[in-house]
Each structure stands twice: as C-alpha cells, then as structure tokens.
Amino acid sequence: MDVVVLIGRVLFSVLFLSSALGHVMQTEAMAGYAASKGVPMAKLSVLGSGALFGLGGLSVLLGVWADLGSLLLAVLLLVTAVLMHPFWKESDPQAKQGEMVNFNKNVALAGAALMLFAFFAHVDGLGLTITGPLFDL
C-alpha cells in the first residue's frame, strides 16, 4: 500500500511543481492575467503563490511534513479558485463556463488535498514519508 500512496503523491505533486515552475518562468504574463482579474500586487502574488505551490508540492512529494504541505495546497487552491475564477462575475456564457470549469477543478483539488492532510495527520509514515506528521489528528 505504501508504494501505491507514494505513486499517488508523485502524480499529485507534479501538477503543483510544474505550476510553480510556470509562475517563475512566466511571471510577467501571469502577473498581467492576475492583474486583469483584480488580484492586488499581481507580480508579488504570482511569485508568492508559485513559491507556495512549490513548497506544498515538494512537501507532499518528499513526505516532509506532508500534512502541512497538503493543508497549504488546499488553502491556496481555494483562494485561487475565488480570486482567479469568479464565474459568477461573467456575463458571456462561454467565459462563464470556462471559469466555472477551472473554479470546480480547483475546489476538487482542494478537497483531495484536504483528504491527504487528514490521511497524513492521522497515519504516521503513510506512503514512505521522510518525516512524520506535524499535526496529530
């Protein structure tokens, strides 16, 4: 079972690590998009969220306080869903649908990250981790 959980951690983390890399490599373009969504301090927000995606992804991948990394990703995903994909503000049906898909994707990933948080905080060494949990549920 540990190997299956480890494979799941790798697959889950790839999304966040590649996103973190994109935030660093395409900061200006992403900051322009974030600014168009009304995100304050867009460039700093892009770099900060990229760093947090990277830290959370590495935490889950390596199993270093993976419970904390999972919780960090869950919070960041929910904030991103609300700030970057406010489908309720769109009047164009196609734009509304696109934003709703991305909003729902982020919320679903946040749910998965919350489940990982609970698993990691409840079971010590789940999936061949380097450290135990930071939280004790």
Side-chain angles (χ1 to χ4, degrees):
M1 188 58 77
D2 282 342
V3 172
V4 173
V5 173
L6 178 61
I7 292 168
R9 284 181 15 223
V10 169
L11 295 174
F12 188 73
S13 297
V14 165
L15 173 69
F16 301 106
L17 295 174
S18 64
S19 180
L21 185 61
H23 279 68
V24 172
M25 301 296 289
Q26 301 170 0
T27 303
E28 294 302 324
M30 292 182 102
Y33 181 66
S36 77
K37 294 290 190 168
V39 174
M41 299 180 293
K43 186 172 183 177
L44 183 61
S45 294
V46 166
L47 291 171
S49 61
L52 293 174
F53 279 133
L55 288 172
L58 281 174
S59 172
V60 171
L61 175 67
L62 300 175
V64 177
W65 288 340
D67 55 341
L68 178 63
S70 299
L71 186 59
L72 173 68
L73 290 173
V75 170
L76 189 55
L77 284 161
L78 290 173
V79 169
T80 300
V82 171
L83 291 179
M84 295 301 295
H85 305 295
F87 64 89
W88 54 91
K89 292 182 178 178
E90 295 293 337
S91 56
D92 175 60
Q94 190 171 6
K96 185 179 199 99
Q97 184 66 34
E99 292 296 352
M100 189 180 294
V101 166
N102 284 309
F103 179 90
N104 288 333
K105 173 197 56 130
N106 282 4
V107 170
L109 284 168
L114 279 176
M115 285 188 284
L116 282 177
F117 165 72
F119 291 144
F120 286 124
H122 185 69
V123 180
D124 194 16
L126 181 67
L128 307 170
T129 58
I130 293 174
T131 68
L134 184 63
F135 299 95
D136 184 22
L137 297 181

